[in-house]
Amino acid sequence: MSDRDDRDRKDPENSLEHTEDPKGSEEKKEYEDVCFICRRPESKAGKMFHLPNHICVCDDCMHKTMDAVSQYDYQGMLNNPALYQMLNSQFDGRGKDAKEGGQEEGGSGEKKGFPNISFINLADLTNDGIPRKQKIRKKSGEQKEKPALDLKSIPAPHRIKERLDQYVIGQEYAKKVISVAVYNHYKRVATGTMDEIEIEKSNILMIGPTGCGKTYLVKTLARLLDVPLAIADATSLTEAGYIGDDIESVVSKLLAAADNDVERAEQGIIFIDEIDKIAKKKNTTSRDVSGESVQQGMLKLLEGAEVEVPVGANSKNAMVPLATVNTRNILFICGGAFPDLEEIIRQRLRKQTSIGFNAELKDKWDKEKNILSKVTVEDLRNFGMIPEFIGRLPVICTLEGLSRDMMVRILKEPRNAILKQYQKLLELDEVKLDFEEGALEAIAEKAMKKDTGARALRSIIEDFMLDIMYEIPKDDNIGRVTITRAYVEGTGGPVIDIRSNQYALGDMEKLNAIEEKGI
C-alpha cells in the first residue's frame, strides 16, 4: 500500500473520493453541500468531491479542472528533461519510494519539485483558513411522505374573520374576501394532486384610500396564520438590467420567510404593496423601467411559472446559490391607494346622466364617499394598468374610507389600540390614564380633516400627549390623568388627580387592608 492510500485511509477528508455514510446519515443531514466553484447544490450537481477545509467540488467542475490542467503545457513542463529526472530519482523500478529503497544513482536522496511552478493553498484565500460555506436546507424524506396540508386543520373563513375582527375595525367586505381567499387557497393546495379537476387560484387586488388598513390587514393575517407570508413594495421594483430590485426579489423574500424551504414557500402568500406606483406613465418620452415594464415582468409570476431566485439575496450574482420556485400555488395579494382613481370613476358615471324627471344629475357623484366601490376594469385601464395585468387579478376588493365613528372605535377597541398603548406606558409610572368620550370624538374630527386615514390618529395623540409624558415623571403625587375634549381642542387642560403623599399607588393593597381593620 502506498503512502497516499495510507493517508486516505487514515484521513478520509483528504481523499478525493465520493463520501457516503453506510448508516444512512446522508438522509439525516439538514443541509446539502454547495459546489465551491459553480455554486450548484448537491441536489442538482450530484455527489460532491470533499476536499480539505470543508471544500466541496462537483463532478463536472472537477473533470473540467483536470482537463484544463492536462491540456495546458506549463512553460514546457511536459517536455522538460528535469521532470523525467525527478520522476526517475523519486521512484525505483519496484514502485517504492527512494527513501525506503535507498538512493538511486545520480540522486542525492531529496525530492525535487516541479520546475517553475508554485502551488496555491486555498486556505490562504480566506481570513480564518476556512472558506465560507453556503448551504441550502435539505428536504428530508420524511416530509415528502406526509401530505402537504390537512383539510381538517385549515381554519374556516368565519374563524379567520373572527380573528381579524379583534385587530381591524370595519372593512367587513375586505375581511370576508381575504378570509375566503386564504381558505380556498389552502384547499386548492391540499387537493392539487387528489383528483383530475385543477382549481385555479384567485389573486386579489385591494383598492382603498391611504390609511384605511390594507397593509395592516395583511400584516395581521401573517401573525394569525402559520403560513409563510412575504410583504414586498412595488416602488423599488425595476425592469431586469436596471438599478433596483428585480421582479423575482418578491419570491426571494417569500423563500426567506419559509426558512429557505422551497416546498413550503410554494404554498405561501405574497402581498405586494403600492401596486399603483407601477402604473403606466402618461405623456412620457423616456423608457418606463419602473412602470409598464414591471407589470409585464410580473405576468409570469401571477399566473404561475418556475422562477430562478437567489437564496439569501435580492439580486443574482455568482456567489449566491439559486433555487427554483414554482409560483403556481402562491397566492398574490396586491394593494394600492390608486390616487385620482375616484375622478376617473366620476367621469365615467357622469356620461350616464340624462335630462328629465327622475334623471341622474352630474353632481350626484360629487359627494359620494364610497365611490371606489363602483370601480371597473375600464377605470383601472384608464389609470395605467395594462389589461394582461388586471386579468391575472380576478378578485377586485375595495376598502371604504374611515368615518368618524370608525376612527373612535380604532382608538379604543382593537387589542393593540393606540389608547391602550399609552395607558400601558403611564401604568409603568404608576399613573392611570383615562379619556373622555368627547376627547375621542375631538381626536377623530381632527384626523378626518387631515385626510390621511388612521395614520393621522397617532400624530394627533403624540402632539397633545407630549407635555403629559414629559411632566408626569417629575411629580410622584400624580395618580390619575383624564384627557378632556377642551384639552384636545386647545381650550383647556387635562384633569389631574393627586394621590396621598403617604401612600403611593403601589401601596393601595396596604391602604385597603388598613381600612378593613378600621384603623
Side-chain angles (χ1 to χ4, degrees):
M1 180 182 294
S2 63
D3 291 343
R4 178 174 179 178
D5 296 335
D6 189 25
R7 288 196 308 270
D8 293 346
R9 181 176 58 84
K10 293 179 180 179
D11 189 5
E13 285 190 358
N14 293 331
S15 176
L16 297 182
E17 300 285 337
H18 292 302
T19 58
E20 294 184 0
D21 193 347
K23 297 182 180 180
S25 62
E26 187 70 22
E27 298 179 357
K28 299 180 181 179
K29 290 173 61 179
E30 187 178 4
Y31 297 93
E32 56 181 336
D33 298 324
V34 177
C35 178
F36 189 77
I37 298 177
C38 68
R39 318 307 301 173
R40 291 187 301 170
E42 187 178 5
S43 59
K44 290 187 176 182
K47 289 290 185 179
M48 299 285 181
F49 288 96
H50 293 272
L51 305 180
N53 296 327
H54 304 285
I55 297 177
C56 301
V57 181
C58 67
D59 188 67
D60 295 337
C61 294
M62 181 63 72
H63 281 292
K64 291 179 181 179
T65 304
M66 294 297 103
D67 292 341
V69 171
S70 61
Q71 293 176 5
Y72 189 78
D73 189 0
Y74 292 95
Q75 298 182 358
M77 182 189 70
L78 299 180
N79 298 322
N80 196 331
L83 176 63
Y84 298 101
Q85 182 181 0
M86 181 202 68
L87 295 177
N88 294 331
S89 63
Q90 185 176 0
F91 297 98
D92 59 5
R94 291 171 298 176
K96 294 183 179 180
D97 197 340
K99 285 188 176 181
E100 298 179 359
Q103 296 180 359
E104 297 293 334
E105 52 181 354
S108 60
E110 60 182 18
K111 299 179 182 180
K112 298 181 180 179
F114 287 94
N116 301 326
I117 293 179
S118 61
F119 292 94
I120 299 175
N121 186 9
L122 292 178
D124 297 336
L125 300 178
T126 58
N127 295 331
D128 53 355
I130 300 177
R132 180 170 57 91
K133 296 186 291 183
Q134 291 183 344
K135 301 287 187 179
I136 298 177
R137 186 170 294 276
K138 193 170 185 178
K139 302 176 186 177
S140 61
E142 298 178 357
Q143 293 180 354
K144 293 182 180 179
E145 297 176 359
K146 296 180 181 179
L149 287 171
D150 186 9
L151 288 175
K152 296 182 180 179
S153 64
I154 303 174
H158 68 280
R159 298 292 183 187
I160 300 176
K161 185 178 179 299
E162 286 177 1
R163 300 291 299 275
L164 292 176
D165 288 338
Q166 299 177 6
Y167 295 90
V168 182
I169 299 300
Q171 312 298 353
E172 299 296 326
Y173 176 69
K175 287 187 286 190
K176 284 182 181 179
V177 170
I178 291 180
S179 301
V180 172
V182 172
Y183 181 65
N184 289 341
H185 170 65
Y186 285 104
K187 283 199 300 184
R188 174 180 178 272
V189 173
T191 59
T193 57
M194 284 186 178
D195 47 30
E196 299 178 354
I197 301 177
E198 183 179 356
I199 306 174
E200 295 184 359
K201 63 178 177 179
S202 299
N203 298 322
I204 305 173
L205 177 61
M206 298 173 58
I207 302 174
T210 178
C212 66
K214 299 183 297 296
T215 307
Y216 186 70
L217 196 62
V218 179
K219 286 184 178 179
T220 305
L221 186 68
R223 293 199 305 265
L224 301 181
L225 298 177
D226 185 16
V227 47
L229 188 144
I231 299 178
D233 198 339
T235 54
S236 60
L237 300 179
T238 56
E239 187 181 356
Y242 289 86
I243 295 177
D245 291 341
D246 292 337
I247 299 171
E248 291 82 4
S249 64
V250 297
V251 185
S252 180
K253 292 181 180 179
L254 180 64
L255 186 62
D259 200 12
N260 291 338
D261 188 351
V262 177
E263 185 175 348
R264 189 164 179 259
E266 290 177 350
Q267 302 172 358
I269 301 175
I270 295 179
F271 175 69
I272 305 177
D273 199 7
E274 306 293 344
I275 199 67
D276 55 304
K277 303 304 184 294
I278 62 172
K280 184 167 52 176
K281 304 297 187 296
K282 299 178 181 179
N283 301 326
T284 179
T285 57
S286 60
R287 185 174 180 84
D288 193 7
V289 298
S290 62
E292 182 180 0
S293 58
V294 178
Q295 297 185 47
Q296 296 171 354
M298 291 182 63
L299 297 180
K300 61 177 182 179
L301 295 182
L302 298 176
E303 190 170 7
E306 292 188 354
V307 186
E308 293 282 345
V309 296
V311 179
N314 290 335
S315 59
K316 299 178 182 179
N317 56 68
M319 300 303 295
V320 177
L322 299 178
T324 303
V325 179
N326 193 341
T327 63
R328 187 175 62 88
N329 290 332
I330 297 178
L331 179 65
F332 286 87
I333 302 176
C334 302
F338 289 88
D340 300 330
L341 183 61
E342 297 93 337
E343 188 61 30
I344 296 176
I345 299 174
R346 289 191 181 97
Q347 291 179 2
R348 176 178 56 84
L349 295 175
R350 286 169 185 167
K351 296 179 181 178
Q352 302 174 1
T353 58
S354 58
I355 300 175
F357 295 102
N358 299 326
E360 293 183 356
L361 302 180
K362 288 186 176 182
D363 58 352
K364 175 183 178 180
W365 310 106
D366 292 343
K367 298 181 180 180
E368 180 70 25
K369 294 183 179 180
N370 197 14
I371 191 68
L372 285 176
S373 61
K374 302 183 182 301
V375 66
T376 60
V377 176
E378 179 186 354
D379 300 328
L380 294 175
R381 290 181 59 183
N382 294 332
F383 184 83
M385 311 304 290
I386 62 177
E388 299 90 339
F389 184 82
I390 303 173
R392 287 166 173 80
L393 298 169
V395 181
I396 299 177
C397 171
T398 59
L399 284 76
E400 56 182 332
L402 301 181
S403 61
R404 193 191 71 167
D405 296 337
M406 292 176 65
M407 292 276 195
V408 174
R409 294 180 58 194
I410 289 173
L411 285 172
K412 59 181 181 179
E413 290 186 10
R415 181 170 292 185
N416 56 344
I418 304 175
L419 301 187
K420 294 180 181 179
Q421 298 177 26
Y422 277 94
Q423 288 174 349
K424 182 65 177 179
L425 288 174
L426 290 181
E427 185 180 342
L428 299 176
D429 291 333
E430 298 182 350
V431 178
K432 185 175 179 59
L433 178 65
D434 292 332
F435 284 83
E436 292 183 353
E437 193 66 25
L440 300 181
E441 294 177 357
I443 296 173
E445 291 172 359
K446 280 190 172 184
M448 292 291 292
K449 295 179 181 178
K450 289 194 173 184
D451 200 20
T452 57
R455 294 186 178 93
L457 296 174
R458 184 84 186 190
S459 62
I460 293 172
I461 295 179
E462 288 278 359
D463 187 19
F464 70 79
M465 286 293 294
L466 176 62
D467 294 335
I468 295 177
M469 301 295 291
Y470 181 79
E471 297 292 340
I472 281 180
K474 292 183 179 179
D475 193 353
D476 295 336
N477 297 324
I478 298 177
R480 183 193 300 268
V481 177
T482 304
I483 305 299
T484 61
R485 185 184 183 97
Y487 178 62
V488 175
E489 293 177 348
T491 58
V495 178
I496 299 178
D497 296 334
I498 305 297
R499 58 171 173 249
S500 175
N501 294 331
Q502 185 178 0
Y503 301 103
L505 186 62
D507 300 331
M508 292 301 295
E509 296 181 357
K510 298 180 181 179
L511 182 61
N512 294 334
I514 293 174
E515 291 178 352
E516 289 178 359
K517 293 180 181 179
I519 300 177

